Amino acid sequence: MEVSSVSISSGNIESTEGLPIQYDLYSPISRNSISFPVIIFLHGFKGFKDWGAWSDMCEEMALAGFGVVAMNFSLNGMEQSKTEFDRLDLFERGTLTQDLEDVGTMIKALQRGEVQDAHSNLNTDLIGLIGHSRGGHTAVAAAAEYNAIQALVTWSAVANYNERWTDEMIKDWEEKGYTEIKNSRTGQDMKLGKVVYDDAKENHERLMAIERVKDLRIPSLFIHGRDDEAVPYTDSEQLHIACAAKEKELRLVSNASHTYGVSHPFESQEYPKPFAEVIEWTEGWFIEYLR
Protein backbone atom coordinates (compact mmCIF):
# COMPACT_ATOMS: atom_id res chain seq x y z
CA MET A 1 0.00 0.00 0.00
CA GLU A 2 1.67 3.18 -1.16
CA VAL A 3 1.10 6.50 0.61
CA SER A 4 1.53 10.04 -0.70
CA SER A 5 3.68 11.57 2.03
CA VAL A 6 5.90 10.79 5.01
CA SER A 7 6.46 12.52 8.32
CA ILE A 8 10.03 12.38 9.67
CA SER A 9 10.74 12.91 13.35
CA SER A 10 13.82 12.34 15.50
CA GLY A 11 14.52 11.57 19.11
CA ASN A 12 16.33 9.25 21.49
CA ILE A 13 15.54 6.65 24.09
CA GLU A 14 17.74 5.38 26.91
CA SER A 15 19.77 2.21 26.53
CA THR A 16 20.02 -0.33 29.34
CA GLU A 17 23.00 1.62 30.67
CA GLY A 18 21.37 5.04 30.33
CA LEU A 19 23.00 6.19 27.09
CA PRO A 20 20.97 7.67 24.22
CA ILE A 21 19.85 5.47 21.35
CA GLN A 22 19.27 8.08 18.65
CA TYR A 23 16.61 7.39 16.05
CA ASP A 24 14.70 8.80 13.11
CA LEU A 25 11.10 7.70 12.61
CA TYR A 26 9.67 7.77 9.10
CA SER A 27 5.88 7.66 9.43
CA PRO A 28 3.50 7.12 6.50
CA ILE A 29 0.72 9.71 6.49
CA SER A 30 -2.75 8.36 5.79
CA ARG A 31 -6.11 10.12 5.99
CA ASN A 32 -7.87 7.02 7.26
CA SER A 33 -7.29 4.84 10.29
CA ILE A 34 -4.97 2.35 8.62
CA SER A 35 -2.08 1.21 10.78
CA PHE A 36 1.31 0.40 9.31
CA PRO A 37 3.81 -2.36 10.15
CA VAL A 38 7.16 -1.22 11.52
CA ILE A 39 10.65 -1.89 10.16
CA ILE A 40 13.78 -1.23 12.22
CA PHE A 41 17.02 -0.52 10.33
CA LEU A 42 20.40 -1.44 11.87
CA HIS A 43 23.64 0.09 10.58
CA GLY A 44 26.97 -1.67 10.34
CA PHE A 45 30.43 -1.37 11.92
CA LYS A 46 31.74 2.21 11.81
CA GLY A 47 28.30 3.03 10.45
CA PHE A 48 25.41 5.24 11.47
CA LYS A 49 21.79 5.82 10.54
CA ASP A 50 22.54 8.88 8.38
CA TRP A 51 25.27 7.23 6.30
CA GLY A 52 25.05 7.45 2.52
CA ALA A 53 21.60 6.66 1.12
CA TRP A 54 20.21 4.98 4.24
CA SER A 55 17.85 7.86 5.01
CA ASP A 56 16.62 7.96 1.41
CA MET A 57 15.94 4.23 1.60
CA CYS A 58 14.01 4.62 4.86
CA GLU A 59 11.81 7.31 3.35
CA GLU A 60 11.15 5.16 0.30
CA MET A 61 10.17 2.20 2.48
CA ALA A 62 7.80 4.48 4.40
CA LEU A 63 6.18 5.56 1.15
CA ALA A 64 5.55 1.87 0.48
CA GLY A 65 3.45 1.70 3.64
CA PHE A 66 5.80 0.91 6.52
CA GLY A 67 6.77 2.87 9.59
CA VAL A 68 10.57 2.85 9.55
CA VAL A 69 12.89 3.41 12.51
CA ALA A 70 16.56 4.02 11.70
CA MET A 71 18.58 3.82 14.91
CA ASN A 72 22.14 4.42 16.02
CA PHE A 73 23.49 1.86 18.44
CA SER A 74 24.19 3.49 21.79
CA LEU A 75 27.91 2.64 21.59
CA ASN A 76 28.47 3.45 17.90
CA GLY A 77 30.65 6.44 18.85
CA MET A 78 28.34 9.33 18.00
CA GLU A 79 26.66 11.72 20.42
CA GLN A 80 26.31 15.34 19.23
CA SER A 81 27.19 14.84 15.57
CA LYS A 82 25.03 13.02 13.01
CA THR A 83 27.94 12.07 10.75
CA GLU A 84 31.18 12.28 12.78
CA PHE A 85 32.52 10.07 15.55
CA ASP A 86 32.77 12.37 18.57
CA ARG A 87 32.67 9.70 21.32
CA LEU A 88 35.46 7.28 20.52
CA ASP A 89 35.42 6.20 24.16
CA LEU A 90 31.98 4.69 23.56
CA PHE A 91 33.01 3.11 20.26
CA GLU A 92 35.94 1.45 22.06
CA ARG A 93 33.59 -0.66 24.17
CA GLY A 94 30.84 -1.27 21.61
CA THR A 95 29.96 -4.90 22.26
CA LEU A 96 27.64 -7.14 20.29
CA THR A 97 25.71 -7.77 23.50
CA GLN A 98 24.92 -4.09 23.90
CA ASP A 99 23.90 -3.82 20.25
CA LEU A 100 21.50 -6.73 20.74
CA GLU A 101 20.06 -5.19 23.89
CA ASP A 102 19.61 -1.86 22.09
CA VAL A 103 17.35 -3.59 19.58
CA GLY A 104 15.29 -5.01 22.44
CA THR A 105 15.07 -1.57 24.02
CA MET A 106 13.81 -0.08 20.76
CA ILE A 107 11.17 -2.79 20.38
CA LYS A 108 9.89 -2.12 23.90
CA ALA A 109 9.81 1.64 23.28
CA LEU A 110 7.81 1.13 20.09
CA GLN A 111 5.32 -1.15 21.80
CA ARG A 112 4.88 1.28 24.68
CA GLY A 113 4.23 4.15 22.28
CA GLU A 114 7.37 6.00 23.31
CA VAL A 115 8.64 6.15 19.72
CA GLN A 116 5.99 7.89 17.63
CA ASP A 117 4.99 11.27 16.29
CA ALA A 118 1.66 13.01 15.71
CA HIS A 119 1.29 11.30 12.35
CA SER A 120 2.14 7.80 13.56
CA ASN A 121 -0.36 5.01 13.35
CA LEU A 122 1.99 2.09 13.78
CA ASN A 123 1.11 -1.56 14.19
CA THR A 124 3.81 -2.64 16.62
CA ASP A 125 2.53 -6.21 16.57
CA LEU A 126 4.16 -6.45 13.14
CA ILE A 127 7.88 -5.61 13.31
CA GLY A 128 10.52 -6.39 10.72
CA LEU A 129 14.29 -5.94 10.74
CA ILE A 130 16.81 -4.79 8.14
CA GLY A 131 20.49 -5.01 9.05
CA HIS A 132 23.60 -4.13 7.05
CA SER A 133 26.96 -5.88 7.57
CA ARG A 134 27.57 -6.12 11.34
CA GLY A 135 24.03 -4.80 11.71
CA GLY A 136 22.89 -7.78 9.66
CA HIS A 137 24.77 -10.06 12.05
CA THR A 138 22.99 -8.42 14.99
CA ALA A 139 19.65 -8.53 13.15
CA VAL A 140 19.86 -12.33 12.89
CA ALA A 141 20.57 -12.63 16.62
CA ALA A 142 17.79 -10.16 17.44
CA ALA A 143 15.28 -11.97 15.23
CA ALA A 144 15.98 -15.14 17.21
CA GLU A 145 16.00 -13.30 20.55
CA TYR A 146 12.83 -11.20 20.34
CA ASN A 147 9.46 -12.76 19.50
CA ALA A 148 8.06 -9.43 18.30
CA ILE A 149 10.11 -9.63 15.09
CA GLN A 150 8.06 -11.19 12.30
CA ALA A 151 10.32 -10.86 9.23
CA LEU A 152 14.02 -10.34 8.50
CA VAL A 153 16.17 -8.97 5.67
CA THR A 154 19.96 -8.79 5.87
CA TRP A 155 22.30 -6.87 3.56
CA SER A 156 25.93 -8.01 3.32
CA ALA A 157 25.63 -9.74 6.68
CA VAL A 158 28.56 -11.19 8.59
CA ALA A 159 27.92 -14.84 9.47
CA ASN A 160 30.35 -15.27 12.37
CA TYR A 161 31.97 -12.24 13.90
CA ASN A 162 34.43 -14.32 15.85
CA GLU A 163 36.02 -15.34 12.56
CA ARG A 164 36.81 -11.70 11.74
CA TRP A 165 39.30 -11.18 14.55
CA THR A 166 42.80 -11.36 13.05
CA ASP A 167 45.88 -12.73 14.82
CA GLU A 168 47.22 -9.18 14.97
CA MET A 169 44.07 -7.89 16.64
CA ILE A 170 44.09 -10.69 19.20
CA LYS A 171 47.76 -10.02 19.96
CA ASP A 172 46.98 -6.32 20.49
CA TRP A 173 44.16 -7.18 22.88
CA GLU A 174 46.31 -9.55 24.87
CA GLU A 175 49.30 -7.18 25.07
CA LYS A 176 47.73 -3.69 25.11
CA GLY A 177 44.08 -4.26 25.96
CA TYR A 178 42.94 -2.65 22.72
CA THR A 179 43.49 -2.71 18.98
CA GLU A 180 43.22 0.20 16.55
CA ILE A 181 41.19 0.40 13.35
CA LYS A 182 41.65 3.14 10.78
CA ASN A 183 38.53 4.92 9.58
CA SER A 184 39.32 5.60 5.93
CA ARG A 185 36.57 8.23 5.64
CA THR A 186 37.55 10.38 8.63
CA GLY A 187 41.21 9.39 9.04
CA GLN A 188 40.61 8.58 12.71
CA ASP A 189 42.39 5.77 14.51
CA MET A 190 39.55 4.11 16.40
CA LYS A 191 40.34 1.94 19.40
CA LEU A 192 38.47 -1.30 19.92
CA GLY A 193 38.80 -2.57 23.48
CA LYS A 194 39.38 -6.12 24.61
CA VAL A 195 35.90 -6.09 26.14
CA VAL A 196 34.50 -6.35 22.59
CA TYR A 197 36.53 -9.49 21.88
CA ASP A 198 35.83 -11.04 25.28
CA ASP A 199 32.10 -10.42 24.95
CA ALA A 200 31.94 -12.05 21.52
CA LYS A 201 33.91 -15.11 22.60
CA GLU A 202 32.19 -15.62 25.95
CA ASN A 203 28.68 -15.22 24.49
CA HIS A 204 29.28 -17.01 21.20
CA GLU A 205 26.08 -19.05 21.19
CA ARG A 206 23.87 -16.04 21.92
CA LEU A 207 25.59 -13.49 19.69
CA MET A 208 26.92 -15.24 16.59
CA ALA A 209 24.55 -15.06 13.63
CA ILE A 210 25.59 -18.46 12.33
CA GLU A 211 24.42 -19.98 15.63
CA ARG A 212 21.21 -17.96 16.08
CA VAL A 213 20.05 -18.41 12.49
CA LYS A 214 19.45 -22.07 13.33
CA ASP A 215 16.63 -20.91 15.62
CA LEU A 216 14.86 -18.70 13.09
CA ARG A 217 11.37 -19.64 12.01
CA ILE A 218 10.35 -16.29 10.51
CA PRO A 219 10.61 -15.36 6.80
CA SER A 220 14.26 -14.46 6.19
CA LEU A 221 15.87 -12.91 3.11
CA PHE A 222 19.67 -12.76 2.80
CA ILE A 223 21.02 -10.27 0.23
CA HIS A 224 24.71 -9.95 -0.67
CA GLY A 225 26.85 -8.41 -3.40
CA ARG A 226 28.92 -10.85 -5.44
CA ASP A 227 31.81 -8.33 -5.47
CA ASP A 228 31.65 -7.47 -1.76
CA GLU A 229 35.15 -6.33 -0.80
CA ALA A 230 34.53 -6.38 2.98
CA VAL A 231 32.40 -9.44 3.71
CA PRO A 232 32.41 -12.36 1.24
CA TYR A 233 29.05 -13.38 -0.16
CA THR A 234 29.71 -16.87 1.16
CA ASP A 235 28.75 -15.48 4.59
CA SER A 236 25.18 -15.00 3.41
CA GLU A 237 25.28 -18.39 1.74
CA GLN A 238 26.18 -19.94 5.09
CA LEU A 239 23.38 -18.09 6.84
CA HIS A 240 20.85 -19.11 4.23
CA ILE A 241 21.83 -22.78 4.44
CA ALA A 242 21.75 -22.84 8.24
CA CYS A 243 18.50 -20.85 8.55
CA ALA A 244 15.67 -22.99 9.93
CA ALA A 245 12.87 -20.87 8.43
CA LYS A 246 10.53 -22.43 5.91
CA GLU A 247 10.29 -19.14 4.00
CA LYS A 248 13.89 -18.19 3.28
CA GLU A 249 15.73 -16.88 0.26
CA LEU A 250 19.24 -15.90 -0.86
CA ARG A 251 19.71 -13.09 -3.38
CA LEU A 252 23.20 -12.41 -4.76
CA VAL A 253 23.59 -9.06 -6.52
CA SER A 254 25.80 -8.94 -9.61
CA ASN A 255 28.52 -6.27 -9.80
CA ALA A 256 27.71 -5.14 -6.27
CA SER A 257 30.10 -3.91 -3.57
CA HIS A 258 29.63 -4.07 0.21
CA THR A 259 27.34 -1.02 0.06
CA TYR A 260 25.84 -1.78 -3.38
CA GLY A 261 27.44 1.18 -5.10
CA VAL A 262 26.41 3.72 -2.47
CA SER A 263 29.01 5.97 -0.81
CA HIS A 264 28.99 8.75 1.79
CA PRO A 265 27.90 11.42 1.28
CA PHE A 266 25.23 10.34 -1.19
CA GLU A 267 24.21 13.22 -3.44
CA SER A 268 22.98 11.49 -6.58
CA GLN A 269 19.40 11.83 -7.76
CA GLU A 270 19.24 8.11 -8.56
CA TYR A 271 20.35 4.98 -6.76
CA PRO A 272 23.11 2.84 -8.22
CA LYS A 273 21.50 -0.10 -10.00
CA PRO A 274 22.63 -2.70 -7.41
CA PHE A 275 21.15 -0.69 -4.53
CA ALA A 276 17.90 -0.14 -6.43
CA GLU A 277 17.65 -3.93 -6.77
CA VAL A 278 18.29 -4.37 -3.05
CA ILE A 279 15.50 -1.94 -2.14
CA GLU A 280 13.08 -3.58 -4.57
CA TRP A 281 13.76 -7.07 -3.14
CA THR A 282 13.59 -5.80 0.44
CA GLU A 283 10.33 -3.95 -0.08
CA GLY A 284 8.80 -6.95 -1.83
CA TRP A 285 9.80 -9.26 1.02
CA PHE A 286 8.11 -7.13 3.66
CA ILE A 287 5.02 -6.57 1.52
CA GLU A 288 4.64 -10.34 1.30
CA TYR A 289 5.51 -11.33 4.85
CA LEU A 290 4.89 -8.33 7.16
CA ARG A 291 1.25 -7.57 6.37
Side-chain angles (χ1 to χ4, degrees):
M1 175 186 299
E2 294 188 0
V3 297
S4 59
S5 56
V6 172
S7 172
I8 304 174
S9 57
S10 301
N12 65 78
I13 57 175
E14 283 194 358
S15 73
T16 52
E17 58 175 46
L19 289 170
I21 301 172
Q22 299 172 340
Y23 70 85
D24 296 321
L25 171 62
Y26 299 77
S27 302
I29 298 175
S30 176
R31 294 183 179 179
N32 52 39
S33 59
I34 295 174
S35 62
F36 299 97
V38 182
I39 297 169
I40 301 172
F41 175 72
L42 309 179
H43 65 75
F45 184 62
K46 294 185 293 183
F48 45 95
K49 63 181 175 60
D50 297 288
W51 186 91
W54 296 164
S55 58
D56 299 286
M57 175 276 298
C58 290
E59 187 169 357
E60 186 162 331
M61 295 292 292
L63 286 169
F66 300 96
V68 183
V69 179
M71 57 178 277
N72 277 349
F73 291 112
S74 60
L75 298 178
N76 83 320
M78 290 184 173
E79 188 173 71
Q80 301 299 324
S81 176
K82 293 182 70 172
T83 60
E84 305 303 321
F85 294 96
D86 54 3
R87 288 296 305 273
L88 294 182
D89 58 318
L90 298 182
F91 178 89
E92 184 174 351
R93 59 183 185 87
T95 62
L96 290 169
T97 289
Q98 189 60 53
D99 287 356
L100 181 58
E101 292 182 356
D102 284 353
V103 179
T105 298
M106 179 57 70
I107 290 171
K108 290 178 183 177
L110 281 163
Q111 294 181 329
R112 292 171 181 164
E114 297 167 6
V115 175
Q116 61 175 333
D117 69 16
H119 302 284
S120 294
N121 191 9
L122 305 178
N123 182 355
T124 56
D125 290 328
L126 294 174
I127 297 178
L129 271 186
I130 303 172
H132 175 250
S133 193
R134 170 168 157 163
H137 186 279
T138 295
V140 171
E145 184 95 356
Y146 304 114
N147 292 332
I149 299 169
Q150 302 296 309
L152 169 71
V153 178
T154 66
W155 300 347
S156 313
V158 177
N160 185 343
Y161 230 88
N162 278 330
E163 292 184 350
R164 296 186 66 81
W165 315 129
T166 66
D167 292 341
E168 183 179 358
M169 294 170 76
I170 294 171
K171 182 180 179 181
D172 282 346
W173 280 319
E174 291 175 345
E175 294 182 354
K176 300 189 297 184
Y178 67 88
T179 191
E180 285 189 326
I181 297 168
K182 174 71 74 173
N183 187 320
S184 58
R185 180 180 67 88
T186 67
Q188 291 169 294
D189 291 317
M190 306 174 76
K191 289 183 179 179
L192 202 61
K194 189 172 183 289
V195 63
V196 177
Y197 173 68
D198 289 342
D199 173 69
K201 298 293 286 187
E202 292 169 7
N203 300 291
H204 177 88
E205 291 186 0
R206 182 189 183 204
L207 299 175
M208 293 304 110
I210 196 62
E211 297 297 332
R212 298 308 303 269
V213 77
K214 301 172 186 175
D215 300 325
L216 285 189
R217 299 295 187 274
I218 62 172
S220 301
L221 172 63
F222 306 95
I223 301 176
H224 217 115
R226 287 189 177 274
D227 297 333
D228 192 321
E229 73 286 4
V231 179
Y233 69 81
T234 51
D235 277 38
S236 283
E237 287 182 331
Q238 292 174 45
L239 291 171
H240 176 252
I241 292 169
C243 181
K246 181 179 178 181
E247 294 87 8
K248 64 178 181 178
E249 196 167 330
L250 172 68
R251 292 288 186 99
L252 299 179
V253 190
S254 299
N255 304 313
S257 65
H258 187 59
T259 56
Y260 307 98
V262 175
S263 58
H264 183 85
F266 182 74
E267 298 171 340
S268 174
Q269 296 298 312
E270 295 184 358
Y271 296 132
K273 183 179 177 181
F275 191 56
E277 289 182 9
V278 168
I279 292 178
E280 181 180 357
W281 291 339
T282 301
E283 185 178 304
W285 193 259
F286 287 125
I287 287 172
E288 182 170 2
Y289 292 112
L290 200 62
R291 288 182 176 167

